[in-house]
């Protein structure tokens, strides 16, 4: 019998929060010059190709923004554009880092599956993929199985009336009457009626 997995803590640890705050402060106080540190942390933490590509792209953009900030370009439009892009990059990297880091360290949601009375316990399980879940993995102490409101019998089909309803005839007659009244008022009023 496999041992149950160790439950994750309810939230991020103090060390995780400290690292998050330090990296955020580092990026903001350096005015974006060290924004690559936050992206490197995400790339190492998540280990996905997309995060590594974002890290390298951000690093190249950071270096490209530093070149126009040299004294040689002082007082030119390139200097201004380089600083503006660096500040925008600082804001975007800080927001992206915080969102990804917070989502990465959130505890996994607990999924409770309660089988319905008439359905088999695992209708979508494909054979041969891992161990079948045990009954203790899906039951929660103190949980009460709720009836499935969608499992009731389908309602009988409603037959549409063969001809137009009498209400439609009445509405049609009233609309014709209103049309006649409006035509009669417009013809008798003339150009100076208002």
């Amino acid at each position: 019998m496999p041992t149950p997995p160790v439950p994750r803590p309810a939230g991020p640890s103090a060390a995780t929060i400290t690292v998050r705050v330090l990296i955020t402060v580092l990026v903001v106080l350096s005015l974006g010059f060290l924004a690559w540190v936050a992206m490197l942390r995400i790339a190492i933490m998540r280990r996905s190709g997309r995060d590594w590509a974002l890290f390298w792209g951000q690093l190249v953009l950071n270096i490209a923004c530093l070149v126009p900030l040299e004294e040689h370009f002082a007082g030119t439009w390139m200097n201004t554009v380089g600083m503006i892009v660096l500040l925008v990059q600082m804001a975007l990297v800080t927001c992206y880092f915080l969102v990804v880091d917070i989502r990465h360290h959130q505890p996994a949601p607990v999924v409770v599956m309660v089988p319905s009375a008439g359905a088999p316990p695992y209708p979508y399980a494909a054979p041969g993929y891992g161990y079948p879940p045990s009954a203790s993995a899906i039951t929660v102490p103190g949980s009460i199985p709720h009836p499935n409101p969608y499992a009731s019998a389908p309602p009988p089909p409603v037959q549409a009336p063969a001809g137009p309803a009498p209400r439609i005839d009445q509405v049609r007659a009233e609309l014709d009457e209103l049309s006649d009244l409006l035509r009669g008022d417009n013809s008798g009023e003339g150009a100076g009626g208002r």
Side-chain angles (χ1 to χ4, degrees):
M1 182 170 143
T3 60
V6 178
R8 291 177 61 176
S13 66
T16 303
I17 294 174
T18 303
V19 169
R20 185 182 299 157
V21 169
L22 285 176
I23 290 177
T24 304
V25 167
L26 182 74
V27 171
V28 172
L29 289 182
S30 70
L31 297 176
F33 288 106
L34 297 175
W36 59 270
V37 174
M39 296 302 285
L40 180 63
R41 162 96 170 131
I42 291 171
I44 291 172
M45 181 176 59
R46 293 184 17 172
R47 297 181 181 141
S48 76
R50 185 187 72 175
D51 291 324
W52 281 105
L54 285 174
F55 163 70
W56 287 110
Q58 189 273 330
L59 186 62
V60 168
L61 182 64
N62 199 330
I63 292 170
C65 289
L66 293 178
V67 170
L69 296 180
E70 293 179 1
E71 191 172 326
H72 174 69
F73 297 107
T76 64
W77 64 271
M78 292 190 317
N79 189 307
T80 306
V81 169
M83 193 62 199
I84 289 172
V85 171
L86 195 64
L87 291 174
V88 168
Q89 179 184 357
M90 173 199 65
L92 291 176
V93 166
T94 303
C95 291
Y96 181 75
F97 170 72
L98 289 174
V99 167
V100 169
D101 194 53
I102 289 170
R103 284 185 183 169
H104 181 77
H105 289 99
Q106 279 183 344
V110 177
V111 178
V112 178
M113 297 174 37
V114 179
S116 63
Y122 304 105
Y124 301 110
Y129 290 105
Y131 294 106
S134 64
S136 63
I138 61 168
T139 57
V140 175
S143 67
I144 301 170
H146 299 286
N148 186 355
Y150 302 107
S152 63
V158 179
Q159 294 180 354
R167 173 80 179 136
I168 292 176
D169 291 335
Q170 179 186 357
V171 170
R172 193 174 292 147
E174 288 176 0
L175 286 175
D176 289 341
E177 198 175 305
L178 283 173
S179 295
D180 292 340
L181 280 173
L182 288 175
R183 281 191 209 116
D185 286 344
N186 287 341
S187 64
E189 207 171 284
R194 289 190 179 178

